[in-house]
Structure formats: C-alpha cells, structure tokens
Amino acid sequence: MKISDGILSETFQDNVVKTDRKASDADAFNIVDLSTANTILFPFEYSRKIFYTATLLQGNYNLEFEDRNIEISGNSLLFTTTKIPFGIHAMDDDYKGFSCIFKEEFITKANSGYRLLEFPIYKPGRQNIYSLTDAQTKNIITIYTKIDNESKADSDFKVNLLRNYLLEIIFNAQKLEAANLFVKTNNTAEVIACSFIRLLESQFPIESPQDIIKLKTSKDFADGLALHPNYLNRQVKLSKGRTVSDIIAARLVQEAKILLKLTNWQIAEISSALGFEEPSHFNLFFKKHANTSPTGYRKLK
C-alpha cells in the first residue's frame, strides 16, 4: 500500500477546488475520505510535499518523519507542512479518517485575515500530533463531514465555506495540547535553521506589487537573527543540507512561479516585489533556476 508523489499530485490536481474568481485569488484544496480511498492511493509515501495537510487518523498507523518513526493508534489529528518530509502508513486494512490537502495560497491574509504560518501548528520544525477523546473526535468528524459534503456541492460560496471549515479545525486543534512525545525536539542547528525559515516565510505570500520583501541575502537574515553570516550558514547547512542562499533562492523561485501564474502583474512588478533592482537580474535568476524565462513560464499551461 504505497503511493508515489506523482499519483498523489495527479489526484490532487484532478480534484482541486476551482472557482471563476480572478487568478490572483485562486485556491487549491482537496479532501480525501480515507475510509473510501483506494488502497493504491494511501498511504502517503515519505517525501517532501508541495502541500499542507490537516488529517484525522482513526486506526493504527506508522508515521515517518526525518528523524523518527512514530506508531499511533486510536483517534489522532496530524498537521504537516511542506518543510518536513513525512509519510503515513496504515498498519492494517481497517483505516479511516479524513485528510484536507491544500496549498499555501488557500489561506492568506488577503482571503482569510490569517497567514498560514502564523498558526503554531504550521510553524517550521514542528510535527504536531494530537490524541483525541471520543467527544473531541465526534466534533472534528462533524467538521470534516461538512467539508466533504461542501466539496461535492455546487455553490457560489463553496470555497469560502471550505476555508472557514478548515480554519475551524485549525482553531480547535490549537486548543488541544500536543503530546510531548510527538513534538520534535530540536538541537541547536535545527533551532537556528527553523528560526531562519520562519523569518524567510514571514515575508510571504506577496499580496501586492507594493509588498516588497526586505530580507534578501544571508547577511540580512543573519542580522535579523543577531548571528554571524558564516555561523548561520553553517548551522542551516548542518540541519537542512543546503546553504542559506540555496534556500532563499528556492523560495524566491517558488513565489515567482505563483505570482506569474496567479496574477496579471507585469514582470517588472514581480521583479521589484521579490527584491530585484532590475528586471534583467530577475530574468537571469529565474532562467537559471527554472530553465525558462519568466515570460516563457507564464505561457506554460
């Protein structure tokens, strides 16, 4: 019972919630009923994902993270991010629950009043799992059922309702106390790396051409964290296997792709918002990392 990222990505794309609203307010969301999922579509295979999840697990599972495997049973809520590779493996065939799968742009300051990474359960470096009582499980199942039913409906307010229900799950989870066993204990390198990533992510998503990022270089982030640039880079490389510059570049490319696809901003506006002094510098940077020009990427379907 394994699933490749390719199968999951295809399933996610096929079932994504779409609206006729402007591209700049596009959403990406899906819900999977685990009790009816085909066995080839579950569990999630261990790897870095492009999406966030809010998952209710009922049954016996093995959860695979970067540094450990965790076995859980009963009723649990699991929240995962794009920052930490993870896998979910059902220990037997009697599994059930729901999983909300969504991209970062589904919850933004502009469309909900909240930034996704403001929520403690989605902070970088955390693996939050909550054990639920029967009463808590009943309440959470009610919300997931509303999401499942609404995802199949045809309504002008569909996306807003789905987002509100998902936020309801998040708010309920934040009232719970994560079991200490399941909260990742970070060493010095991981603490520094997570602080860096949190500072990096605090600048995103970019929601207007005037929303220009301020921190662009290793020195900018080192100054923001009151660390020497060489020390910051060494600790981040030790924890994440990549340099600070590599991580910054990857995040800029990710945001650039989102803005190119979901907005009608001019290339120069996107370039400026991402902190490039000249559009030509942005064009060279994007082509180096995406193997195509910004204009060429925007034309891709």
Side-chain angles (χ1 to χ4, degrees):
M1 293 194 301
K2 293 208 172 182
I3 176 172
S4 70
D5 284 336
I7 293 175
L8 185 55
S9 296
E10 182 179 346
T11 302
F12 184 64
Q13 292 296 330
D14 287 345
N15 293 282
V16 68
V17 173
K18 297 180 179 178
T19 72
D20 293 329
R21 293 182 296 168
K22 294 181 181 179
S24 58
D25 194 28
D27 304 292
F29 177 90
N30 188 28
I31 181 170
V32 177
D33 183 346
L34 304 184
S35 65
T36 60
N38 189 300
T39 55
I40 67 168
L41 296 181
F42 190 81
F44 298 128
E45 188 172 321
Y46 175 80
S47 66
R48 188 178 297 277
K49 307 299 191 299
I50 62 170
F51 49 80
Y52 295 78
T53 70
T55 303
L56 171 66
L57 296 173
Q58 295 180 275
N60 302 313
Y61 298 87
N62 179 60
L63 308 181
E64 185 181 6
F65 294 107
E66 284 179 311
D67 62 344
R68 72 179 79 180
N69 285 0
I70 301 170
E71 290 190 4
I72 62 171
S73 60
N75 302 308
S76 305
L77 268 180
L78 166 67
F79 296 87
T80 64
T81 77
T82 62
K83 310 305 175 187
I84 299 176
F86 74 94
I88 306 175
H89 297 262
M91 302 297 288
D92 50 51
D93 292 333
D94 186 24
Y95 56 79
K96 59 182 178 178
F98 292 94
S99 184
C100 290
I101 306 168
F102 56 98
K103 295 185 179 179
E104 188 172 337
E105 60 262 32
F106 190 65
I107 295 179
T108 68
K109 199 80 171 178
N111 64 31
S112 70
Y114 299 94
R115 289 183 185 270
L116 187 64
L117 295 181
E118 288 178 344
F119 297 117
I121 58 176
Y122 288 118
K123 290 292 186 184
R126 299 297 297 270
Q127 301 156 358
N128 285 308
I129 306 168
Y130 302 86
S131 295
L132 302 176
T133 65
D134 289 343
Q136 290 167 340
T137 301
K138 183 177 180 180
N139 179 48
I140 293 297
I141 288 177
T142 298
I143 303 172
Y144 274 107
T145 301
K146 290 180 181 178
I147 295 175
D148 193 37
N149 291 337
E150 189 61 35
S151 68
K152 300 169 184 174
D154 185 12
S155 166
D156 292 338
F157 304 102
K158 178 175 183 172
V159 171
N160 289 329
L161 281 169
L162 292 173
R163 184 181 294 111
N164 288 337
Y165 291 146
L166 176 59
L167 286 170
E168 188 175 356
I169 291 174
I170 292 172
F171 292 145
N172 273 277
Q174 292 188 159
K175 294 190 300 182
L176 305 173
E177 183 176 351
N180 291 333
L181 173 65
F182 299 143
V183 179
K184 185 176 179 179
T185 301
N186 295 319
N187 58 33
T188 300
E190 289 172 330
V191 169
I192 291 174
C194 288
S195 295
F196 157 64
I197 290 174
R198 187 178 300 118
L199 192 57
L200 174 64
E201 290 295 334
S202 69
Q203 302 185 104
F204 302 101
I206 296 174
E207 296 172 343
S208 79
Q210 291 72 43
D211 192 10
I212 301 173
I213 66 171
K214 301 296 190 296
L215 305 176
K216 299 173 287 186
T217 68
S218 296
K219 186 179 184 306
D220 292 338
F221 286 96
D223 290 345
L225 296 171
L227 299 171
H228 190 280
N230 291 343
Y231 181 71
L232 172 62
N233 194 64
R234 186 163 59 249
Q235 297 302 313
V236 170
K237 182 71 179 292
L238 181 63
S239 174
K240 301 301 179 184
R242 295 189 295 166
T243 66
V244 169
S245 295
D246 287 342
I247 294 174
I248 294 172
R251 188 62 180 89
L252 289 176
V253 171
Q254 179 187 1
E255 191 69 13
K257 288 180 176 179
I258 292 172
L259 296 176
L260 287 167
K261 286 294 187 182
L262 300 185
T263 76
N264 59 1
W265 301 356
Q266 298 294 320
I267 301 296
E269 291 178 313
I270 295 175
S271 170
S272 175
L274 291 174
F276 291 88
E277 294 182 1
E278 298 291 339
S280 60
H281 297 166
F282 171 62
N283 287 340
L284 290 173
F285 168 83
F286 190 86
K287 191 168 185 178
K288 175 183 176 181
H289 293 279
N291 296 317
T292 185
S293 67
T295 301
Y297 181 81
R298 175 168 267 175
K299 291 179 179 178
L300 293 175
K301 293 182 178 181

